Amino acid sequence: MPQSPTDSPLGRIDLFGRPTALVGGSPVVFPEKAFMLVALLAFAAGRDLDRASARELLWEEVPPARRAGNLRQLLLRLGQLEPGSPVRVTPEGGLRLAEDRWRVDAVALLSGAVAPGAVDGRPLLEGVAAKGDQFEDWLRWASRRANEQRGAALRAALDAAALDPAARLDIAERLLALEPLDETGHRHRLTAHAEAGDLAAARRAWLDCRARLRDELGIEPSPDIQALAARLGLEGAAVPPSASVAALSDAPERGDRLGIPTVIVMPPALLPGNELLDRFGLVLLEEITLGLSQFGSFRVIAAHTSWQLARRAPGSPALGPAPFGEAPRPDYAVTVGIRSSGEPLNASCRLTKLSTGEVLWAVDLEISAANLQASLTDIVRRTVGSLAALIERAEGRLSLAEAGATGYRLYLEGKRSIGATGLEPLRAARKWFRLAVKRCDEFSAALAGLSRTLSMEWLVRGMTDRELLTDALQAAQRAEACDPGSGRALRELGFANLYLRRHDDSLACFAAARARAPNDADLLADYADAVMHDGQPERALELMRAAKALNPLGPDYYRWIEASILYRLEDYDGAVAVLQPIADRPSTARLLAATCAMAGDLTAARGHAARVRENYPAFRVDDVWQIIPDRRPADLRQFAAGLRGAGLD
């Protein structure tokens, strides 16, 4: 029954700091794994979680055969609590928080229902002994997300309404305790001291702001902070001589159906007397702009416009709406800086959300004066992919109600669902991608995502007919037609063609996609898969290692591809080790059965074979000739031998 506004949950679970569970103000005995499970559900999309993911994250150190029993025992124990279990089993068999009975502090934080005065920096699940690498990785991600939400709540409070100086200072100090380089916090701390008439404290705040940004990032404070300090007559404050991205921050709300954000890359300030580094800065601007343009998920203002804006004097009308005319105004600015005093030389890169002034990311990278070309390549490689991911993450933080159901926002919902190999997340992602395409039928990235869900479902289900693959190919072709030469579209064309056994077409598409996006880890992983099925496992392993170097915490299917390559190379023990963290997934059962058999572990092989029969009762070994797109018959015979060795027929 839905909870009425006057109802209140019977219990409370606090996950930050040392976790506690209270009922009526009294502590409740709560297993450590229960706190971990509640945390997983609090941070899950929609606060629903499938059992397989819960088992894998909570009991990674336990053999897969025992994980289901452990989860059942934990749920039974929680069901014996006085207010009832905080975890419900959904009709589909998944897990969900019982929010009508229990209030969870993390849920309140993530939903924006926490007062600024209650925001603190207590760590998530402090003292809980996570026993697996995957949960540790998840905990780091969830902690970052919690801090992002804390920062967002504090920034919103600072900007929402008029505050007295004491309240403004308190919130600004809380924000800076979380994010010492956040310029919103520095600006409001400076403002609070000035409003209180304490110019000595304002001067200390200004000097602290300037020193932190210079020391940590090699950049100057934002122009609006500099202008505020100059108005107050503080030491060392001056209006910057070059054009500012702050002049672009009054961009109107996006109203188009697609709704993709616009990015501008601002170049470094000219360095008097150093023509070589000036040229380096110009090329760096062009390369980062070009790299971001290849993603196709956001608009990027041309480098020429950025360079011209940076050369104009402050206050020029050209810094207003005029340069853009009817074109979209920027939503994000990437600011590049070069610091030339002393050795080594350094380049900095900062991503700012213009509507709030929030610095989303900053990095400082060394420049080798002896090899500027290598430095340029390294800086572009290390910044472009991170910038694209951060922009998508920033856009994805907003709820659909806040951002509007634009095609881009719906596309981000699909991307959020597509990381796992299970059927449910794949089909959820397909729903979002289709909605995005319905909103804007020429949205190439959403069409590419739709193609991927179709290909992956065909692969996960081990299907032998070609209908889903044909649909995937058509979606990829539409994606490429909407954005000719798109790396994402070419990647999906390569993927669909591979499983349609069009090897030459597949490899050509992957090669073209790699030329467009040489540092796309997911592309390299798929390319490795195609090369392996073409009968080149040694080269495939090189590509796979390159993918993992760029994305060491990649999605589940990285393991699937790597294990398949090791199987081809007859490194069966290595393949088993790679697959072990996802050993309980039905989609890995065939490969694990064959691999364990070839490694000589017949007991484990037969166990995985039993799971194949349970999940794929119609499967026959002869089906591999239709499912697996190996070009060389000998490779198929090798895999079939492993399956038969596991007892499959």
Side-chain angles (χ1 to χ4, degrees):
M1 183 175 183
Q3 185 180 345
S4 72
T6 57
D7 291 338
S8 60
L10 302 174
R12 189 174 86 242
I13 300 172
D14 293 335
L15 297 173
F16 294 105
R18 192 166 295 278
T20 57
L22 302 171
V23 175
S26 301
V28 176
V29 177
F30 216 67
E32 187 175 78
K33 292 289 188 186
F35 284 120
M36 295 163 70
L37 177 57
V38 169
L40 290 172
L41 291 168
F43 282 84
R47 289 191 281 284
D48 282 5
L49 189 68
D50 62 274
R51 287 175 179 250
S53 297
R55 292 194 298 263
E56 183 175 344
L57 286 163
L58 294 179
W59 289 283
E60 182 181 349
E61 79 286 0
V62 173
R66 290 172 43 197
R67 295 175 186 169
N70 287 357
L71 179 58
R72 284 195 296 272
Q73 291 175 16
L74 178 62
L75 294 176
L76 285 172
R77 186 171 175 184
L78 291 176
Q80 296 169 358
L81 294 174
E82 181 72 24
S85 174
V87 180
R88 284 203 174 98
V89 179
T90 68
E92 297 79 21
L95 304 175
R96 177 180 298 166
L97 282 178
E99 296 183 59
D100 57 335
R101 291 183 172 274
W102 292 83
R103 182 181 68 79
V104 180
D105 57 348
V107 170
L109 174 65
L110 295 173
S111 62
V114 174
V119 173
D120 56 42
R122 289 181 303 151
L124 179 65
L125 297 179
E126 184 179 21
V128 168
K131 297 179 181 178
D133 291 341
Q134 292 190 77
F135 190 85
E136 289 281 8
D137 292 340
W138 176 88
L139 186 57
R140 283 191 288 271
W141 167 83
S143 298
R144 287 196 302 271
R145 187 178 172 202
N147 281 338
E148 288 173 355
Q149 191 66 28
R150 287 163 166 160
L154 293 170
R155 279 186 290 272
L158 287 169
D159 295 333
L163 297 168
D164 62 68
R168 184 187 302 277
L169 182 60
D170 175 65
I171 298 173
E173 293 287 7
R174 288 174 183 268
L175 178 56
L176 290 173
L178 284 172
E179 302 177 15
L181 301 177
D182 187 277
E183 294 196 47
T184 299
H186 283 291
R187 184 176 71 252
H188 281 278
R189 181 169 66 171
L190 179 57
T191 300
H193 286 310
E195 289 174 344
D198 191 345
L199 290 183
R203 181 174 291 105
R204 289 194 299 272
W206 158 247
L207 294 176
D208 176 63
C209 169
R210 191 175 62 178
R212 284 179 184 271
L213 294 174
R214 283 180 175 178
D215 293 346
E216 297 293 330
L217 305 178
I219 60 176
E220 294 296 325
S222 62
D224 58 341
I225 299 179
Q226 294 190 50
L228 173 61
R231 286 197 302 272
L232 296 173
L234 303 179
E235 178 186 351
V239 177
S242 62
S244 156
V245 296
L248 307 173
S249 62
D250 58 345
E253 293 293 321
R254 296 191 298 270
D256 56 285
R257 291 182 305 149
L258 187 53
I260 64 175
T262 300
V263 184
I264 187 168
V265 184
M266 297 299 289
L270 295 175
L271 300 172
N274 200 326
E275 185 178 346
L276 179 61
L277 283 181
D278 281 347
R279 289 202 302 270
F280 181 86
L282 176 58
V283 175
L284 184 59
L285 162 70
E286 292 174 343
E287 289 297 316
I288 291 178
T289 301
L290 177 62
L292 289 173
S293 300
Q294 293 173 356
F295 280 85
S297 298
F298 33 78
R299 303 181 182 94
V300 183
I301 291 174
H304 177 77
T305 295
S306 304
W307 190 258
Q308 291 301 316
L309 285 174
R311 294 169 65 91
R312 295 177 187 259
S316 164
L319 292 179
F324 301 101
E326 298 300 319
R329 303 289 307 286
D331 302 286
Y332 297 89
V334 177
T335 308
V336 180
I338 296 178
R339 189 168 53 194
S340 63
S341 56
E343 292 287 345
L345 300 173
N346 284 283
S348 63
C349 185
R350 177 176 64 180
L351 176 65
T352 305
K353 187 171 184 178
L354 291 172
S355 62
T356 63
E358 177 187 2
V359 176
L360 302 177
W361 181 72
V363 68
D364 203 30
L365 301 169
E366 186 174 324
I367 301 172
S368 169
N371 195 339
L372 290 177
Q373 180 59 50
S375 294
L376 177 68
T377 301
D378 182 61
I379 292 168
V380 172
R381 179 182 65 84
R382 294 171 64 181
T383 57
V384 169
S386 297
L387 288 167
L390 285 158
I391 291 168
E392 289 191 350
R393 189 180 307 161
E395 292 290 300
R397 285 185 202 167
L398 298 174
S399 68
L400 283 171
E402 292 174 297
T406 62
Y408 182 70
R409 190 61 186 80
L410 295 165
Y411 159 76
L412 290 181
E413 289 294 321
K415 282 203 69 175
R416 183 180 297 172
S417 302
I418 203 172
T421 56
L423 285 177
E424 286 188 20
L426 284 173
R427 288 170 177 172
R430 185 180 308 153
K431 177 192 73 174
W432 291 114
F433 289 138
R434 280 181 170 155
L435 286 171
V437 172
K438 185 176 180 181
R439 175 72 56 164
C440 182
D441 58 8
E442 295 184 354
F443 190 1
S444 177
L447 286 163
L450 178 60
S451 174
R452 171 60 50 141
T453 65
L454 294 163
S455 297
M456 285 300 296
E457 177 166 342
W458 182 89
L459 191 56
V460 167
R461 291 172 59 189
M463 301 175 70
T464 55
D465 65 74
R466 295 288 187 265
E467 183 177 354
L468 280 178
L469 286 179
T470 301
D471 291 345
L473 182 66
Q474 291 173 350
Q477 289 169 336
R478 285 180 61 196
E480 207 277 335
C482 293
D483 185 9
S486 161
R488 293 184 182 185
L490 288 167
R491 174 190 171 202
E492 299 312 325
L493 280 171
F495 196 76
N497 274 314
L498 169 63
Y499 288 95
L500 287 167
R501 299 176 180 274
R502 301 170 182 174
H503 292 91
D504 292 337
D505 290 342
S506 173
L507 293 173
C509 288
F510 279 122
R514 188 185 187 188
R516 288 294 304 265
N519 299 308
D520 185 330
D522 293 346
L523 166 62
L524 289 174
D526 282 347
Y527 198 1
D529 191 35
V531 169
M532 183 267 295
H533 287 299
D534 193 52
Q536 306 175 62
E538 293 84 1
R539 183 182 172 218
L541 190 58
E542 292 176 6
L543 288 166
M544 195 64 231
R545 286 172 175 163
K548 290 177 65 179
L550 291 166
N551 189 6
L553 301 177
D556 293 348
Y557 70 85
Y558 278 33
R559 294 182 176 276
W560 193 353
I561 295 170
E562 184 180 6
S564 299
I565 296 169
L566 294 174
Y567 188 99
R568 289 285 178 268
L569 294 170
E570 300 183 10
D571 181 2
Y572 302 117
D573 290 334
V576 171
V578 168
L579 287 172
Q580 200 57 46
I582 55 172
D584 62 343
R585 305 288 173 84
S587 55
T588 65
R590 287 190 298 266
L591 182 54
L592 265 171
T595 306
C596 289
M598 299 298 271
D601 188 350
L602 295 181
T603 301
R606 291 186 181 112
H608 293 301
R611 292 178 59 239
V612 174
R613 295 190 191 94
E614 176 185 351
N615 289 286
Y616 307 99
F619 174 76
R620 297 293 179 267
V621 172
D622 288 343
D623 291 345
V624 300
W625 298 87
Q626 296 175 276
I627 298 172
I628 299 177
D630 284 331
R631 195 166 203 166
R632 301 189 310 187
D635 292 337
L636 283 168
R637 286 195 292 270
Q638 179 196 16
F639 187 55
L643 292 171
R644 290 195 172 97
L648 292 165
D649 53 22

